[in-house]
Amino acid sequence: MGEESGTGRTADGARAELHAPFRPHAARLVTLGLAVLVLLLTAVLVAAVPSIAAEYGPGDQAGIALLGLAITWFCWRQASVSARPDESGLTVRNLVVSRRVAWAEIVSVRFGGGRPWVQLDLADGDTLAVMGIQRADGARADAEARRLATLVELHSRTARDD
């Protein structure tokens, strides 16, 4: 096991904390709450449509149900954005696309200038948004961006440190 540090944690425990997944908090709570609300309202509407007007039928109920499910899926997808670090790289799950990048591919971590989420500059000249760290989380987001930058530094060091 790792040695004890001054905080009473093992070095392995501190490393595990450093490699914990990045997830937004405010957006996650809001979108999960909205998903539950949409599901409840969809169920109420589907049940109430036949009694509201005779011209509404099963097709209308199916349409309402599909729309409610689509909105719920979107909310779930927003709530599940994350970035998962491990020893070999970072797996970024954004709203639509997921991407895996090796630590060596990440040139820098940017979070200033009013950006809504962290942005990675990659060695191929591309950029990658990391929606798992969002400005809406305030000081916590700043700390998480620093933790990600620390991980990039830790995993991209070379013997020559070039």
Side-chain angles (χ1 to χ4, degrees), residues 37-54:
L37 181 65
V38 167
L39 278 177
L40 291 173
L41 290 176
T42 299
V44 167
L45 277 174
V46 167
V49 160
S51 63
I52 293 174

Side-chain angles (χ1 to χ4, degrees), residues 3 13 25 28 34-35 47 58 60-61 69 73 78-79 84 95 100 109 114-116 122 125 131 140 142 147 153:
E3 297 178 16
H25 282 268
R28 188 175 182 148
L34 282 174
D60 298 303
Q61 287 175 303
L69 289 174
W73 174 84
Q78 173 62 41
R84 296 182 176 276
L95 191 58
R100 171 90 179 152
V109 177
R115 285 184 177 82
L122 304 178
M131 294 177 72
R140 182 185 183 285
D142 292 330
R147 181 167 66 97
E153 165 100 15

